[in-house]
Structures are given as C-alpha cells and as structure tokens.
Amino acid sequence: MDMLVSPLPGVDRKHLHQTLDAVRERVSNLFTSGPHDYYERLLAYLDWAVDAVGRLDTLVSSADLDRLVLTKRHDQLLAGLNDFTIGTTQRLVNQLVSTELRQRTEIFGAAVASLAQELQRWQLRGLPVVADSSFYVHHREKLEDTDFAELLGVTEHPVHLLVPMVVVDELDQLKESKAPQARWRARYTLAVLDRLFQESTEHALLRKADAEVQRITGVRRGEVTVQLLLDPPGHMRLPINDDEIVDRALAVQPLSGREVTVLTYDTGQAIRARVAGLRDYKLSMPVVDEPEEQATTKKKLPAKDRGVQVPAGRKGGQVGSSTNGSVGT
C-alpha cells in the first residue's frame, strides 16, 4: 500500500517521519505483545489512538488522521465501550481490536516507508516551481522553449516544474476558448504533458542539463524536470482554482524542504501565493499605450426640426454663421 501523508505547512519533514515511526512502533507492539484480556486490549488500543492524534494533529491534515487513526471501526469501538462487558461479546471485541491493530500497523508502516521514499526523491530534485495556466498561455516562449534557469535567475541549478491537476483541467477548458492564442497554447501544452507522461506521472525530463558552459551567458543550465501533482485520495478541491493551486504548492513545500515558487501572470494569483508564505514570481505582459477615447458623432438634425427659427429667404432650413457669431444675412 503506497500511502503518503500530507504534511501541514511549516512542518519539519524529519520530525514528521520520526513521529510517524514512533506511533507505528507503539501500535505494532500492541498488536504483537499487548494485553490478552479483551477489555484491557480495547482500552490500550483506544489509549494509543488518543496519543496518536495528539502527536500528529499539528503535523498532518485531518484527512490523514481519519485514514490513519480515526477510522469507522475506531468510532464503533469507542461508542460501544460501556456495552462490551457482556460475556458473549468478548470474543467479537477481541477480534475487532486485533484486526484494527493489525491494519493500523500495516498502514502506518506504509506511511513511514512512502514518506521516507518521497523525502529521498526530493533530495534529487531541483528548485520546485508551480506555474498556473496564465503562464502556459501568455508566456512569450512555449513550454519546451522556455529557459526556466534564466527566467528565475537560478542559472546552473536544476528546476522541478510541478503541474497540479487543477491546472491541467483549466487548460482542458481553454482548448475551447474563443481566443486563438489561448486555444492553441492550451492544446500545445496538454500535448507536451501527454507525451511526457505516457508511462508514469512520477517524473519526466523536459530539458537535459547543458553539457558545457554556454558561450554567451557563461553559465551551464541545469536540467528541467516535470511532475504532475495528482489530487490525494479523498481530496476536496477549493472553490476558487487560484486558491487550489496555492494549496497544492503549500502541500509540496514541507516535502521538498525548499521554498516553492509560484509562476504567474495574474496579480491575484501572485498575491495569494505571497500571503500564504510562498515565493511568488509575477511576470508582466507589455503595456501598450492607453487607448484614446473614441469621439462619438451624432447626426445633426435640420434647424427646423430642432426648433430653431429660420430667417426668411434661407432655403433648405440651413443657418449660416459669420465670424462674429451672428446669423448670416
């Protein structure tokens, strides 16, 4: 079972790993060598659950706590605590507790292992960057042509581009845009992602590191890798897509151990990222001259239709003006 917890923003990765392992060790000991009396075994399990929540509630999401500790069987055992003294239920309670302890041991073991693997993988990755759909649509260079090292000012460091699924969904919607540029860029970007992740969503190479120092810049650019950020099991997206992108970037930051950069052309997205504690990199499109106000010309009605008295002898109802502003004669 590949299970990865979602560290809360600011959580130290090593501390989380050590805490998960300590909780796993305790539940494993209860399963293999805990009390034999069914009621004492039940109380020991419930005590472990309380302790586990107390250790983890400031480290992982509430959804993780529900999957790891506060399961439906936990709620059933807790609710029936006062009714489990009847002799005929002792065997059933003992089986339920043993099953729960075994499953908690397995699940925490999987969580510890998957977190260790993820931490190891992030040590090999570059600067984490999350770009929103505005970047893919409006940037002057296409995805495969973008020099992320120069753009972000990281020169020789590798860059790891993260693509949340909400961004993929936005690009899918933009395929039907009425704007030709947005429509073409969305289809192009999705085609590149589809090609990169034909076999796996884990890790894809967008650009290799330069073999040697560039003559013009005098630097050697690092590689650019790409990763899809899939929605975790049971994840409920936030109502506003910009907030969802920030939320996914925040989930990555504790795992990466590095500051995550949000790359965008949208001012609102940049502000959201900045307020959340992420590094925002706001790009700007060229500002054109302010458009001049269009002069509106109205068809002038004949003088007689405007209630103007027409002097005798004027044909067609036209009024002339002299240089001194008097009516011409």
Side-chain angles (χ1 to χ4, degrees):
M1 180 185 299
D2 184 14
M3 186 172 189
L4 179 63
V5 297
S6 301
L8 295 178
V11 169
D12 181 82
R13 303 172 301 157
K14 294 182 179 179
H15 174 61
L16 173 59
H17 185 261
Q18 293 171 353
T19 303
L20 283 172
D21 196 38
V23 174
R24 177 207 59 79
E25 183 177 6
R26 185 180 174 192
V27 73
S28 176
N29 291 338
L30 280 178
F31 174 60
T32 57
S33 56
H36 294 288
D37 177 78
Y38 84 100
Y39 201 68
E40 291 183 2
R41 193 170 177 83
L42 171 61
L43 293 177
Y45 156 70
L46 293 175
D47 180 68
W48 166 83
V50 171
D51 179 70
V53 170
R55 286 171 174 251
L56 295 171
D57 65 347
T58 59
L59 303 179
V60 300
S61 67
S62 57
D64 288 334
L65 284 179
D66 290 342
R67 286 201 306 270
L68 293 170
V69 183
L70 303 177
T71 63
K72 291 183 178 180
R73 187 178 290 117
H74 166 271
D75 295 343
Q76 292 170 348
L77 290 171
L78 182 61
L81 183 62
N82 295 328
D83 300 327
F84 290 152
T85 57
I86 305 173
T88 56
T89 64
Q90 294 182 11
R91 181 179 177 183
L92 175 61
V93 172
N94 198 47
Q95 289 177 341
L96 288 174
V97 173
S98 294
T99 299
E100 185 69 1
L101 290 174
R102 175 179 57 80
Q103 291 183 352
R104 297 309 99 204
T105 299
E106 293 173 352
I107 287 175
F108 267 92
V112 170
S114 63
L115 180 59
Q117 292 174 0
E118 190 68 7
L119 295 180
Q120 179 63 29
R121 284 194 291 263
W122 273 106
Q123 290 181 1
L124 304 176
R125 293 172 179 166
L127 174 72
V129 176
V130 175
D132 69 354
S133 57
S134 73
F135 171 79
Y136 297 109
V137 170
H138 297 302
H139 193 56
R140 64 182 183 275
E141 297 169 330
K142 299 180 297 183
L143 175 58
E144 291 175 300
D145 298 333
T146 299
D147 188 343
F148 286 94
E150 180 182 3
L151 182 65
L152 298 169
V154 294
T155 59
E156 300 182 0
H157 296 285
V159 173
H160 191 59
L161 181 63
L162 301 160
V163 186
M165 282 306 298
V166 65
V167 173
V168 176
D169 293 339
E170 284 185 336
L171 292 172
D172 262 323
Q173 294 174 357
L174 287 171
K175 288 192 304 184
E176 309 303 324
S177 172
K178 294 182 180 180
Q181 170 75 4
R183 184 170 62 247
W184 190 93
R185 277 295 188 91
R187 292 177 177 178
Y188 160 80
T189 303
L190 289 170
V192 172
L193 295 176
D194 187 53
R195 186 184 74 247
L196 290 175
F197 297 105
Q198 282 292 328
E199 298 181 359
S200 172
T201 61
E202 175 60 28
H203 191 218
L205 181 64
L206 182 65
R207 172 186 286 179
K208 294 181 179 179
D210 291 339
E212 55 188 24
V213 174
Q214 297 292 309
R215 292 182 179 179
I216 299 177
T217 61
V219 299
R220 187 176 69 88
R221 296 173 303 181
E223 69 175 13
V224 179
T225 53
V226 188
Q227 178 183 349
L228 288 178
L229 287 181
L230 303 177
D231 293 344
H235 175 70
M236 296 292 292
R237 287 186 181 178
L238 297 174
I240 301 175
N241 286 350
D242 284 355
D243 290 336
E244 176 68 16
I245 293 171
V246 169
D247 180 72
R248 302 309 304 136
L250 285 173
V252 166
Q253 193 157 263
L255 290 172
S256 67
R258 303 181 181 99
E259 191 176 36
V260 176
T261 299
V262 174
L263 193 58
T264 181
Y265 276 89
D266 291 341
T267 300
Q269 181 75 86
I271 293 174
R272 284 179 170 90
R274 193 180 314 144
V275 171
L278 299 167
R279 178 174 180 256
D280 70 286
Y281 200 95
K282 169 69 167 57
L283 298 166
S284 299
M285 289 182 286
V287 179
V288 297
D289 293 336
E290 182 178 1
E292 296 181 2
E293 185 177 355
Q294 295 292 329
T296 57
T297 58
K298 296 182 179 180
K299 186 177 180 180
K300 197 171 184 179
L301 294 174
K304 64 177 181 178
D305 294 334
R306 291 184 280 123
V308 177
Q309 185 176 1
V310 181
R314 296 293 181 182
K315 296 182 179 180
Q318 297 299 317
V319 179
S321 298
S322 66
T323 56
N324 62 5
S326 61
V327 178
T329 56

